[in-house]
Amino acid sequence: MNPFDLSGKIALVTGANTGLGQAIAAALAQAGADVALAGRSNMAETQAAVEAAGRRALPIKADLSSLEPVERIVAETVAWGGRLDILVNNAGIIRRADAIDFTEADWDAVMDVNLKAAFFLSQAAARRMIPQGGGKIVNIASLLSFQGGIRIPSYTASKSGLAGLTRLLACEWAGKGVNVNAIAPGYFVTNNTQALIADKARHDAILARIPAGHWGRPQEIGGAAVFLSSAAADYVHGVVLPVDGGWLAR
Ligand code: NAP
């Protein structure tokens, strides 16, 4: 038996239309899961990737800047798949400005998607997973769960908060069969990092510090998500797993 096999599992990935969420949805499908894809943009590309792996996909239109869609996302997934085994809280945004000028609007917008929605989706998912005998929750954290960064105060606060929340939920739910863990991606080429990539000096300075010698490619995140979603991680609780080309080892 392959402990990484996700055959028969029902997964839900937020922010799955692009970037890391898309790559994670495809990787879960390649490992055997059917995948619900929740987000505010068109999921056609990701749906095609899931179906190319021979699995089913369910696009769910949802804007996670409020809690309004949270119950509906989980209910639609369960109505479609009959259960919910894996939740990946991936949807996230970033706002850049010096701390001295940072606005309340940029604080709230980031905290609402990155932290508040992730918590209440986890709660809604766990309310299904615990009665069904267990499940896996994977939060997409950041290097800013460990480090300070500059010009992204609400992002650093949200991702540091998400790491703490991952540990708290692990403590509460580990004994109930639900594994809560996180992945901390390093610097990956996605929409999220476009501003950094466009700034050649920042891009090159970051690259020079990455032991692996290249920025992350979205497909390099999938294996960690499959691991934390699988039986191979049944005794893994509350970790924040860096997938960062060695950045934090430096
Ligand atoms: P991305 O391409 O910008 O993807 C972000 C995803 O979140 C998109 O699908 C986006 O949908 C979705 N999203 C944002 N606001 C939403 C909302 N209100 N409701 C529903 N969905 C929403 O960037 P990414 O790099 O793949 O980011 C994925 C996750 O990885 C984020 O949590 C990010 O913080 C984290 N991360 C990324 C890096 C990196 O280097 N790229 C590093 C560390 C952590 P739209 O396309 O509709 O905006």
Side-chain angles (χ1 to χ4, degrees):
M1 189 197 140
N2 172 6
F4 300 96
D5 182 20
L6 300 180
S7 297
K9 302 291 184 191
I10 301 296
L12 166 59
V13 181
T14 67
N17 57 300
T18 185
L20 303 187
Q22 180 175 69
I24 288 168
L28 295 179
Q30 283 154 17
D34 291 338
V35 193
L37 312 165
R40 59 187 178 178
S41 295
N42 188 299
M43 295 290 166
E45 209 178 284
T46 311
Q47 183 164 6
V50 169
E51 289 169 358
R55 307 312 315 173
R56 296 187 306 144
L58 174 72
I60 301 176
K61 218 23 157 212
D63 182 344
L64 287 165
S65 59
S66 85
L67 298 185
E68 177 275 321
V70 164
E71 282 298 329
R72 177 174 59 80
I73 292 170
V74 173
E76 280 186 31
T77 304
V78 172
W80 167 74
R83 51 192 289 115
L84 175 59
D85 300 294
I86 298 158
L87 166 66
V88 181
N89 282 309
N90 167 78
I93 57 172
I94 193 163
R95 296 278 170 86
R96 291 190 167 83
D98 292 340
I100 205 82
D101 299 320
F102 211 74
T103 65
E104 184 178 0
D106 282 345
W107 179 269
D108 287 345
V110 172
M111 295 299 272
D112 283 351
V113 178
N114 295 14
L115 192 54
K116 190 173 178 181
F119 172 69
F120 284 99
L121 256 178
S122 299
Q123 182 190 65
R127 286 175 176 168
R128 303 314 199 280
M129 290 173 175
I130 291 168
Q132 86 190 7
K136 311 281 183 196
I137 297 175
V138 181
N139 294 321
I140 304 305
S142 167
L143 295 177
L144 286 315
S145 301
F146 301 98
Q147 301 182 308
I150 51 167
R151 308 192 69 248
I152 45 174
S154 57
Y155 188 80
T156 299
S158 70
K159 295 298 187 178
S160 297
L162 194 57
L165 190 61
T166 299
R167 291 186 282 268
L168 172 130
L169 295 177
C171 292
E172 290 208 19
W173 297 341
K176 300 180 191 301
V178 177
N179 299 70
V180 186
N181 292 292
I183 294 169
Y187 287 89
F188 279 72
V189 179
T190 68
N191 297 336
N192 174 288
T193 48
Q194 259 175 9
L196 289 181
I197 292 164
D199 180 341
K200 189 170 170 9
R202 278 300 300 283
H203 170 274
D204 291 354
I206 288 166
L207 179 61
R209 195 191 178 286
I210 300 174
H214 67 271
W215 277 58
R217 303 159 189 133
Q219 63 271 25
E220 291 176 303
I221 204 86
V226 169
F227 164 56
L228 291 175
S229 299
S230 74
D234 275 353
Y235 199 58
V236 180
H237 294 280
V239 305
V240 183
L241 174 63
V243 178
D244 66 351
W247 178 278
L248 288 174
R250 190 117 185 191

